[in-house]
Amino acid sequence: MRFLLTDEQREFGRSLDALLTAADTPAVLRAWAAGDHGPGRALWGRLADAGVFALAVPEAYGGVGPLPVEAAVACVELGRHAVPGPVAETLAAGVLLAGAGGPVAEEWLPAIASGAAVVSLTLEGYGPYAPDADAADAVFTVTGDELRLAPGPGEPSASADPARRLFRPEPGGAPVAKGPAIRAAARAAGDTAAFATAALALGCGEELLRATVAYVKQRTQFGVPVGSFQAVKHRLADTLIGLEFARPLLYGAAVELASEVSRPGAGAGSAEGSPGAGAAVAAAKVTAGEAGYAAARTALQLHGAIGYTEELDLAWWLRRARPLRDAWGTPSVCRARVLAG
């Protein structure tokens, strides 16, 4: 089998890279971490105009999806530029609400596709915290076969990434949908959140490696660049191999998810998260998450003490790598799911 991105998919990635390069995301990150969501919401709107959030929303609700391969392309770029906000959660909400159907889908899915709504969520089995719930227009929670709209973001909890704040949503809220379809939609949404997070982690790791390679070319010891030292070369090569091994698993999971959506009898919002697709997503998640975190460790070691400083933009990527590794499925949980699948 020969699998390569199409020219259109590669151009989509390049266009997002250009958009985000011009957006000065470190400044957006600093504002977001300080509680000023204005610049981040403006960037969110530009990403929506580029079609990013429509990728998880069915055409019947104003989207163009589900398109997992294109979503992977987009999330890798968003991870490389450390775009703030509940990206994975909003994409997962598109799958969740499409599976729920009814008035809640009709109300929220067009807003998600257009970028008018930023959404966070919690699902059973993935922990009680909703990332960036204070910046979200809606926080959905699933318990059993009930989908609820949380009455408020709740109290914040400690987070290793100041630009990815965690909240335990306020309990209660009237059910907006219920029934067996909610359980199936929640399984598919969990796969989507893990898949998108894997892509974000891969992109984060790529940027950490790029920044580190550039730094070791400039930093000198004994009159030569430290990047010429054999030990440094080996460390960077190991980091690159980890990221490159994760990439085919990510796109393999995208193909599995796309096949699941397109199988006979599966409607645009009826994918249930098959064991095969779930195992593929888990393999991508653990591999990309570990590779991104390894890239952060390499970046910190080779930058030395300067890597700790608040003034260095690299710090935002360093703080993001481990939370992305553990979000929507820790390495141990993902490994167990791969074995079970």
Side-chain angles (χ1 to χ4, degrees):
M1 179 179 180
R2 181 174 181 268
F3 177 73
L4 292 172
L5 294 176
T6 65
D7 291 340
E8 291 80 6
Q9 290 164 343
R10 288 194 292 269
E11 181 56 34
F12 179 49
R14 286 192 291 267
S15 68
L16 290 177
D17 178 42
L19 184 158
L20 293 168
T21 299
D24 188 16
T25 52
V28 177
L29 279 164
R30 287 184 168 86
W32 190 276
D36 178 8
H37 301 132
R41 290 296 295 254
L43 178 57
W44 194 276
R46 293 198 292 275
L47 291 170
D49 291 341
V52 170
F53 303 108
L55 295 172
V57 176
E59 292 183 17
Y61 298 100
V64 297
L67 294 175
V69 175
E70 286 76 5
V73 172
C75 287
V76 168
E77 292 302 325
L78 270 60
R80 285 208 309 116
H81 291 274
V83 171
V87 172
E89 292 72 24
T90 297
L91 293 173
V95 173
L96 174 65
L97 298 179
V104 67
E106 294 172 0
E107 177 182 0
W108 287 100
L109 285 178
I112 289 174
S114 68
V118 175
V119 177
S120 192
L121 80 163
T122 65
L123 300 173
E124 281 188 309
Y126 290 99
Y129 299 113
D132 298 305
D134 61 330
D137 299 293
V139 179
F140 291 100
T141 65
V142 175
T143 305
D145 61 358
E146 288 190 341
L147 171 64
R148 296 174 181 265
L149 181 60
E155 292 297 320
S157 299
S159 174
D161 181 356
R164 191 176 187 274
R165 302 176 67 197
L166 301 177
F167 292 79
R168 187 187 292 266
E170 292 180 6
V176 293
K178 61 173 61 178
I182 299 303
R183 290 182 182 270
R187 288 195 295 271
D191 284 346
T192 299
F195 170 72
T197 303
L200 292 169
L202 178 60
C204 180
E206 287 181 348
E207 175 58 20
L208 285 163
L209 178 59
R210 184 207 63 78
T212 305
V213 170
Y215 180 72
V216 299
K217 288 180 178 179
Q218 298 174 357
R219 181 184 171 193
T220 60
Q221 274 188 353
F222 311 113
V224 297
V226 298
S228 65
F229 300 161
Q230 197 74 359
V232 172
K233 290 181 179 179
H234 286 176
R235 186 68 185 266
L236 293 171
D238 289 343
T239 302
L240 176 62
I241 289 171
L243 294 169
E244 290 303 317
F245 270 39
R247 193 184 313 281
L249 289 175
L250 175 68
Y251 286 108
V255 171
E256 287 283 350
L257 289 172
S259 299
E260 177 64 17
V261 171
S262 62
R263 66 179 170 79
S270 63
E272 298 184 1
S274 71
V281 169
K285 175 65 173 59
V286 66
T287 308
E290 294 281 35
Y293 182 51
R297 292 172 63 88
T298 296
L300 186 58
Q301 181 180 27
L302 297 186
H303 275 81
I306 193 175
Y308 289 99
T309 62
E310 289 285 342
E311 292 78 9
L312 190 69
D313 290 342
L314 182 81
W316 295 100
W317 280 258
L318 289 172
R319 291 175 171 178
R320 181 151 294 198
R322 183 161 184 171
L324 287 175
R325 184 196 71 171
D326 295 339
W328 295 104
T330 63
S332 60
V333 168
C334 290
R335 289 189 178 98
R337 192 175 185 189
V338 171
L339 292 174

